[in-house]
Amino acid sequence: MMKVLSRSVVVALILLTAACAQSDTSTSTTEPSTTAPPSAVESFSGTLQPAGTNLHTFTVKETGYVEITLIGVVPQLGSEPSAPITLGLGIGTPDTFSGTCLVLYKVNAQAGTAAQIIGTATAGPDCLTVFDVGSLSQPVIYTVTVAHS
């Protein structure tokens, strides 16, 4: 036995469906962004020794988006490792008294095309550290890019 829906129920279902479809669109306004998009890309390279840490500084002109990408790591002595090399990356503020980087955020990363650190950097001097996470048995040569405002 087939039930027939009344005309008012069908109309109510159509209106409900239309209302649900419109709920994905927003008519509210959004506040302007307080962070600037990247306007500069800097490249840093170096040789990292086993148990070592290297420091690179850069200056952010205005608070904004920052993206750090470890794009390459190769053994200095030329012998290829059996597995991808993992290095540590950290971002922070330079400590002018000690000559170190006061790291605010760090990750373990392998070289690739996708950024390993994405966030917001404040205007002023900032620093990047590249460090051995305990896996290096020989020096490696690395390249890191930093996109910032």
Side-chain angles (χ1 to χ4, degrees), residues 8-19:
S8 59
V9 171
V10 171
V11 170
L13 287 173
I14 291 171
L15 291 174
L16 180 62
T17 302

Side-chain angles (χ1 to χ4, degrees), residues 56 59 68 103 127 134 143-144:
H56 302 281
T59 301
I68 299 174
V103 175
C127 53
T143 302
V144 178

Side-chain angles (χ1 to χ4, degrees), residues 65-80:
Y65 182 82
V66 66
E67 184 175 280
I68 299 174
T69 309
L70 177 63
I71 60 172
V73 180
V74 294
Q76 185 180 26
L77 304 177
S79 61
E80 291 298 318

